[in-house]
Short mmCIF file of all heavy atoms in Angstrom, two decimals:
data_model
loop_
_atom_site.label_atom_id
_atom_site.label_comp_id
_atom_site.label_asym_id
_atom_site.label_seq_id
_atom_site.Cartn_x
_atom_site.Cartn_y
_atom_site.Cartn_z
N VAL A 1 29.35 -48.25 51.19
CA VAL A 1 28.57 -47.99 49.93
C VAL A 1 29.29 -46.85 49.13
O VAL A 1 29.53 -46.95 47.97
CB VAL A 1 27.09 -47.65 50.13
CG1 VAL A 1 26.44 -47.25 48.92
CG2 VAL A 1 26.46 -48.91 50.81
N LEU A 2 29.57 -45.75 49.84
CA LEU A 2 30.27 -44.63 49.23
C LEU A 2 31.62 -45.01 48.71
O LEU A 2 32.03 -44.63 47.58
CB LEU A 2 30.33 -43.46 50.22
CG LEU A 2 30.89 -42.13 49.69
CD1 LEU A 2 29.99 -41.60 48.60
CD2 LEU A 2 30.95 -41.16 50.80
N LEU A 3 32.33 -45.79 49.50
CA LEU A 3 33.73 -46.26 49.06
C LEU A 3 33.58 -47.11 47.83
O LEU A 3 34.37 -46.97 46.86
CB LEU A 3 34.37 -47.02 50.23
CG LEU A 3 35.81 -47.47 49.98
CD1 LEU A 3 36.71 -46.26 49.79
CD2 LEU A 3 36.27 -48.27 51.18
N LEU A 4 32.60 -48.03 47.82
CA LEU A 4 32.42 -48.93 46.72
C LEU A 4 32.05 -48.13 45.46
O LEU A 4 32.58 -48.38 44.34
CB LEU A 4 31.42 -49.98 47.01
CG LEU A 4 31.17 -50.99 45.95
CD1 LEU A 4 32.36 -51.87 45.70
CD2 LEU A 4 29.95 -51.88 46.34
N LEU A 5 31.20 -47.19 45.61
CA LEU A 5 30.77 -46.33 44.48
C LEU A 5 31.94 -45.53 43.85
O LEU A 5 32.16 -45.60 42.68
CB LEU A 5 29.65 -45.37 44.94
CG LEU A 5 29.08 -44.47 43.88
CD1 LEU A 5 28.32 -45.29 42.83
CD2 LEU A 5 28.16 -43.41 44.51
N ASN A 6 32.66 -44.82 44.72
CA ASN A 6 33.82 -44.03 44.25
C ASN A 6 34.90 -44.88 43.68
O ASN A 6 35.45 -44.56 42.64
CB ASN A 6 34.39 -43.22 45.38
CG ASN A 6 33.62 -41.94 45.56
OD1 ASN A 6 33.11 -41.34 44.62
ND2 ASN A 6 33.45 -41.49 46.81
N GLY A 7 35.19 -45.97 44.33
CA GLY A 7 36.23 -46.90 43.84
C GLY A 7 35.80 -47.54 42.50
O GLY A 7 36.67 -47.67 41.60
N GLY A 8 34.58 -47.90 42.41
CA GLY A 8 34.09 -48.50 41.15
C GLY A 8 34.18 -47.58 40.03
O GLY A 8 34.53 -47.95 38.89
N ILE A 9 33.79 -46.31 40.22
CA ILE A 9 33.86 -45.30 39.15
C ILE A 9 35.29 -45.08 38.76
O ILE A 9 35.66 -45.02 37.55
CB ILE A 9 33.14 -44.03 39.55
CG1 ILE A 9 31.63 -44.26 39.71
CG2 ILE A 9 33.40 -42.90 38.55
CD1 ILE A 9 30.88 -43.09 40.36
N LEU A 10 36.17 -44.86 39.70
CA LEU A 10 37.56 -44.63 39.42
C LEU A 10 38.24 -45.84 38.71
O LEU A 10 38.97 -45.70 37.80
CB LEU A 10 38.35 -44.25 40.68
CG LEU A 10 39.73 -43.69 40.43
CD1 LEU A 10 39.75 -42.45 39.62
CD2 LEU A 10 40.42 -43.44 41.80
N ALA A 11 37.89 -47.04 39.20
CA ALA A 11 38.40 -48.24 38.54
C ALA A 11 37.90 -48.36 37.12
O ALA A 11 38.68 -48.73 36.20
CB ALA A 11 38.03 -49.48 39.35
N GLY A 12 36.62 -48.01 36.87
CA GLY A 12 36.10 -48.02 35.55
C GLY A 12 36.81 -47.11 34.63
O GLY A 12 37.16 -47.41 33.45
N ILE A 13 37.15 -45.85 35.12
CA ILE A 13 37.90 -44.92 34.32
C ILE A 13 39.29 -45.39 33.98
O ILE A 13 39.82 -45.33 32.91
CB ILE A 13 37.98 -43.56 35.03
CG1 ILE A 13 36.58 -42.90 35.00
CG2 ILE A 13 39.03 -42.61 34.34
CD1 ILE A 13 36.48 -41.66 35.87
N VAL A 14 39.96 -46.06 35.04
CA VAL A 14 41.31 -46.59 34.82
C VAL A 14 41.26 -47.74 33.79
O VAL A 14 42.13 -47.76 32.89
CB VAL A 14 41.87 -47.11 36.16
CG1 VAL A 14 43.13 -47.93 35.98
CG2 VAL A 14 42.16 -45.93 37.08
N PHE A 15 40.31 -48.62 33.93
CA PHE A 15 40.25 -49.75 32.93
C PHE A 15 39.79 -49.31 31.55
O PHE A 15 40.20 -49.93 30.57
CB PHE A 15 39.32 -50.85 33.46
CG PHE A 15 39.94 -51.61 34.59
CD1 PHE A 15 39.29 -51.73 35.82
CD2 PHE A 15 41.20 -52.26 34.47
CE1 PHE A 15 39.81 -52.43 36.90
CE2 PHE A 15 41.72 -52.93 35.54
CZ PHE A 15 41.05 -53.01 36.75
N LEU A 16 39.00 -48.27 31.44
CA LEU A 16 38.57 -47.79 30.15
C LEU A 16 39.48 -46.70 29.57
O LEU A 16 39.23 -46.21 28.51
CB LEU A 16 37.12 -47.23 30.27
CG LEU A 16 36.06 -48.30 30.54
CD1 LEU A 16 34.69 -47.60 30.76
CD2 LEU A 16 35.95 -49.29 29.41
N TYR A 17 40.55 -46.45 30.25
CA TYR A 17 41.50 -45.33 29.83
C TYR A 17 41.99 -45.50 28.39
O TYR A 17 41.98 -44.62 27.63
CB TYR A 17 42.63 -45.22 30.83
CG TYR A 17 43.63 -44.21 30.37
CD1 TYR A 17 43.42 -42.85 30.44
CD2 TYR A 17 44.84 -44.65 29.81
CE1 TYR A 17 44.34 -41.92 30.02
CE2 TYR A 17 45.82 -43.72 29.32
CZ TYR A 17 45.57 -42.34 29.47
OH TYR A 17 46.48 -41.48 28.98
N PRO A 18 42.47 -46.73 28.00
CA PRO A 18 42.98 -46.88 26.65
C PRO A 18 41.87 -46.56 25.60
O PRO A 18 42.16 -45.85 24.61
CB PRO A 18 43.43 -48.33 26.56
CG PRO A 18 43.65 -48.74 27.96
CD PRO A 18 42.73 -47.98 28.79
N THR A 19 40.72 -47.04 25.82
CA THR A 19 39.58 -46.81 24.84
C THR A 19 39.23 -45.34 24.92
O THR A 19 39.05 -44.72 23.82
CB THR A 19 38.40 -47.66 25.22
OG1 THR A 19 38.78 -49.01 25.30
CG2 THR A 19 37.29 -47.55 24.20
N LEU A 20 39.08 -44.75 26.06
CA LEU A 20 38.66 -43.35 26.15
C LEU A 20 39.72 -42.40 25.62
O LEU A 20 39.42 -41.40 25.02
CB LEU A 20 38.34 -43.00 27.62
CG LEU A 20 37.10 -43.57 28.20
CD1 LEU A 20 37.00 -43.27 29.70
CD2 LEU A 20 35.89 -43.01 27.48
N SER A 21 41.02 -42.72 25.83
CA SER A 21 42.07 -41.86 25.35
C SER A 21 42.21 -41.87 23.84
O SER A 21 42.61 -40.83 23.23
CB SER A 21 43.42 -42.21 25.96
OG SER A 21 43.81 -43.50 25.58
N GLN A 22 41.79 -42.95 23.18
CA GLN A 22 41.76 -42.99 21.78
C GLN A 22 40.57 -42.31 21.14
O GLN A 22 40.63 -41.61 20.12
CB GLN A 22 41.89 -44.39 21.21
CG GLN A 22 43.23 -45.01 21.46
CD GLN A 22 43.29 -46.46 21.03
OE1 GLN A 22 42.31 -47.06 20.61
NE2 GLN A 22 44.46 -47.05 21.18
N SER A 23 39.41 -42.52 21.80
CA SER A 23 38.14 -41.94 21.17
C SER A 23 37.98 -40.48 21.56
O SER A 23 37.46 -39.73 20.75
CB SER A 23 36.95 -42.77 21.70
OG SER A 23 36.84 -42.60 23.08
N ALA A 24 38.46 -40.11 22.75
CA ALA A 24 38.36 -38.63 23.11
C ALA A 24 39.62 -38.20 23.83
O ALA A 24 39.67 -38.08 25.06
CB ALA A 24 37.12 -38.47 24.04
N PRO A 25 40.70 -38.01 23.07
CA PRO A 25 41.98 -37.64 23.70
C PRO A 25 41.97 -36.32 24.47
O PRO A 25 42.70 -36.15 25.43
CB PRO A 25 42.95 -37.56 22.54
CG PRO A 25 42.17 -37.47 21.31
CD PRO A 25 40.77 -37.99 21.61
N GLU A 26 41.10 -35.39 24.13
CA GLU A 26 41.03 -34.13 24.81
C GLU A 26 40.52 -34.28 26.24
O GLU A 26 40.71 -33.45 27.08
CB GLU A 26 40.11 -33.11 24.03
CG GLU A 26 38.65 -33.47 24.06
CD GLU A 26 38.25 -34.54 22.92
OE1 GLU A 26 39.11 -34.89 22.15
OE2 GLU A 26 37.14 -34.93 22.93
N LEU A 27 39.90 -35.40 26.51
CA LEU A 27 39.38 -35.69 27.90
C LEU A 27 40.52 -35.87 28.85
O LEU A 27 40.36 -35.45 30.04
CB LEU A 27 38.52 -36.94 27.82
CG LEU A 27 37.53 -37.17 28.93
CD1 LEU A 27 36.49 -36.09 28.96
CD2 LEU A 27 36.86 -38.52 28.84
N PHE A 28 41.67 -36.37 28.42
CA PHE A 28 42.73 -36.69 29.35
C PHE A 28 43.97 -35.86 29.13
O PHE A 28 44.94 -35.98 29.91
CB PHE A 28 43.11 -38.16 29.26
CG PHE A 28 42.03 -39.09 29.70
CD1 PHE A 28 41.25 -39.73 28.78
CD2 PHE A 28 41.78 -39.27 31.07
CE1 PHE A 28 40.27 -40.57 29.26
CE2 PHE A 28 40.79 -40.12 31.46
CZ PHE A 28 39.99 -40.78 30.55
N THR A 29 43.99 -35.00 28.14
CA THR A 29 45.23 -34.27 27.85
C THR A 29 45.27 -32.92 28.60
O THR A 29 46.34 -32.34 28.73
CB THR A 29 45.40 -34.00 26.35
OG1 THR A 29 44.17 -33.33 25.88
CG2 THR A 29 45.58 -35.29 25.60
N GLY A 30 44.17 -32.42 29.08
CA GLY A 30 44.15 -31.16 29.78
C GLY A 30 44.69 -31.28 31.18
O GLY A 30 44.58 -32.32 31.82
N ASN A 31 45.27 -30.24 31.72
CA ASN A 31 45.84 -30.22 33.03
C ASN A 31 44.65 -30.37 34.09
O ASN A 31 44.89 -31.01 35.12
CB ASN A 31 46.56 -28.92 33.29
CG ASN A 31 47.91 -28.94 32.68
OD1 ASN A 31 48.48 -29.99 32.33
ND2 ASN A 31 48.46 -27.79 32.45
N ARG A 32 43.51 -29.82 33.78
CA ARG A 32 42.43 -29.89 34.70
C ARG A 32 41.91 -31.32 34.89
O ARG A 32 41.61 -31.76 35.95
CB ARG A 32 41.27 -28.98 34.18
CG ARG A 32 40.30 -28.67 35.24
CD ARG A 32 39.23 -27.73 34.72
NE ARG A 32 39.73 -26.60 34.03
CZ ARG A 32 39.03 -25.83 33.22
NH1 ARG A 32 37.80 -26.04 33.05
NH2 ARG A 32 39.59 -24.82 32.61
N ALA A 33 41.91 -32.06 33.75
CA ALA A 33 41.44 -33.47 33.87
C ALA A 33 42.42 -34.28 34.70
O ALA A 33 42.00 -35.07 35.57
CB ALA A 33 41.35 -34.05 32.49
N TRP A 34 43.76 -34.13 34.50
CA TRP A 34 44.72 -34.86 35.27
C TRP A 34 44.67 -34.47 36.73
O TRP A 34 44.76 -35.29 37.62
CB TRP A 34 46.12 -34.66 34.74
CG TRP A 34 46.47 -35.53 33.56
CD1 TRP A 34 46.64 -35.14 32.27
CD2 TRP A 34 46.52 -36.92 33.53
NE1 TRP A 34 46.85 -36.21 31.45
CE2 TRP A 34 46.77 -37.33 32.26
CE3 TRP A 34 46.38 -37.95 34.55
CZ2 TRP A 34 46.98 -38.66 31.90
CZ3 TRP A 34 46.56 -39.24 34.19
CH2 TRP A 34 46.82 -39.61 32.89
N PHE A 35 44.49 -33.16 36.99
CA PHE A 35 44.35 -32.71 38.37
C PHE A 35 43.13 -33.28 39.03
O PHE A 35 43.17 -33.73 40.16
CB PHE A 35 44.31 -31.15 38.39
CG PHE A 35 44.20 -30.59 39.78
CD1 PHE A 35 45.19 -30.67 40.72
CD2 PHE A 35 42.98 -30.05 40.20
CE1 PHE A 35 45.10 -30.16 41.99
CE2 PHE A 35 42.81 -29.56 41.48
CZ PHE A 35 43.89 -29.64 42.35
N GLY A 36 42.03 -33.28 38.30
CA GLY A 36 40.77 -33.85 38.85
C GLY A 36 40.90 -35.31 39.15
O GLY A 36 40.47 -35.75 40.22
N LEU A 37 41.47 -36.09 38.24
CA LEU A 37 41.64 -37.53 38.46
C LEU A 37 42.61 -37.79 39.61
O LEU A 37 42.36 -38.68 40.43
CB LEU A 37 42.05 -38.25 37.16
CG LEU A 37 40.99 -38.36 36.14
CD1 LEU A 37 41.57 -38.93 34.82
CD2 LEU A 37 39.84 -39.20 36.57
N THR A 38 43.68 -37.06 39.67
CA THR A 38 44.66 -37.24 40.77
C THR A 38 44.06 -36.86 42.07
O THR A 38 44.19 -37.61 43.07
CB THR A 38 45.88 -36.37 40.50
OG1 THR A 38 46.43 -36.74 39.19
CG2 THR A 38 46.91 -36.59 41.59
N LEU A 39 43.31 -35.77 42.10
CA LEU A 39 42.63 -35.35 43.37
C LEU A 39 41.61 -36.38 43.79
O LEU A 39 41.49 -36.71 44.93
CB LEU A 39 42.00 -33.98 43.13
CG LEU A 39 41.36 -33.36 44.39
CD1 LEU A 39 42.42 -33.11 45.45
CD2 LEU A 39 40.62 -32.03 44.05
N TRP A 40 40.86 -36.91 42.81
CA TRP A 40 39.88 -37.95 43.14
C TRP A 40 40.54 -39.18 43.74
O TRP A 40 40.08 -39.75 44.68
CB TRP A 40 39.09 -38.30 41.86
CG TRP A 40 37.86 -39.10 42.05
CD1 TRP A 40 37.30 -39.53 43.22
CD2 TRP A 40 37.06 -39.62 41.01
NE1 TRP A 40 36.19 -40.28 43.02
CE2 TRP A 40 35.98 -40.32 41.67
CE3 TRP A 40 37.07 -39.55 39.65
CZ2 TRP A 40 34.99 -40.96 40.93
CZ3 TRP A 40 36.08 -40.19 38.94
CH2 TRP A 40 35.05 -40.89 39.53
N GLY A 41 41.64 -39.59 43.11
CA GLY A 41 42.37 -40.72 43.64
C GLY A 41 42.88 -40.50 45.05
O GLY A 41 42.86 -41.40 45.91
N VAL A 42 43.43 -39.30 45.33
CA VAL A 42 43.94 -39.00 46.71
C VAL A 42 42.77 -38.97 47.68
O VAL A 42 42.94 -39.55 48.80
CB VAL A 42 44.61 -37.64 46.67
CG1 VAL A 42 44.90 -37.08 48.05
CG2 VAL A 42 45.93 -37.73 45.89
N VAL A 43 41.61 -38.39 47.31
CA VAL A 43 40.49 -38.40 48.22
C VAL A 43 40.01 -39.82 48.43
O VAL A 43 39.64 -40.16 49.54
CB VAL A 43 39.35 -37.47 47.64
CG1 VAL A 43 38.06 -37.72 48.36
CG2 VAL A 43 39.76 -36.06 47.67
N LEU A 44 40.04 -40.65 47.42
CA LEU A 44 39.63 -42.03 47.56
C LEU A 44 40.60 -42.79 48.47
O LEU A 44 40.13 -43.57 49.38
CB LEU A 44 39.65 -42.70 46.19
CG LEU A 44 39.11 -44.13 46.11
CD1 LEU A 44 37.63 -44.20 46.57
CD2 LEU A 44 39.22 -44.73 44.76
N MET A 45 41.85 -42.51 48.42
CA MET A 45 42.86 -43.17 49.32
C MET A 45 42.62 -42.67 50.76
O MET A 45 42.73 -43.49 51.69
CB MET A 45 44.26 -42.88 48.89
CG MET A 45 44.66 -43.36 47.50
SD MET A 45 44.60 -45.10 47.01
CE MET A 45 44.19 -46.14 48.20
N LEU A 46 42.36 -41.43 50.93
CA LEU A 46 42.08 -40.87 52.29
C LEU A 46 40.80 -41.53 52.82
O LEU A 46 40.75 -41.90 54.05
CB LEU A 46 41.91 -39.38 52.24
CG LEU A 46 43.17 -38.56 52.02
CD1 LEU A 46 42.86 -37.11 51.86
CD2 LEU A 46 44.15 -38.78 53.17
N HIS A 47 39.82 -41.74 51.97
CA HIS A 47 38.57 -42.42 52.39
C HIS A 47 38.85 -43.85 52.81
O HIS A 47 38.34 -44.31 53.81
CB HIS A 47 37.56 -42.35 51.23
CG HIS A 47 36.17 -42.74 51.71
ND1 HIS A 47 35.15 -42.79 50.89
CD2 HIS A 47 35.68 -43.10 52.90
CE1 HIS A 47 34.08 -43.19 51.50
NE2 HIS A 47 34.36 -43.40 52.73
#
């Protein structure tokens, strides 16, 4: 359940990235956002 929840949220962000990056570019341009998403992806792969 936890794996499905985390994977679903991360997949939603990945699929909505083009729309989100145009409507709110500041969300993905900061170093903290990229670090957070990368860390989330690494934790998901470890899980």
Side-chain angles (χ1 to χ4, degrees):
V1 173
L2 186 62
L3 184 63
L4 183 64
L5 179 69
N6 278 325
I9 293 171
L10 191 61
I13 290 172
V14 167
F15 287 124
L16 293 176
Y17 175 76
T19 307
L20 289 174
S21 64
Q22 289 176 358
S23 64
E26 68 278 354
L27 198 65
F28 295 101
T29 55
N31 285 339
R32 198 177 312 163
W34 278 113
F35 178 71
L37 288 174
T38 303
L39 184 63
W40 192 4
V42 168
V43 168
L44 186 63
M45 300 299 358
L46 289 173
H47 191 181

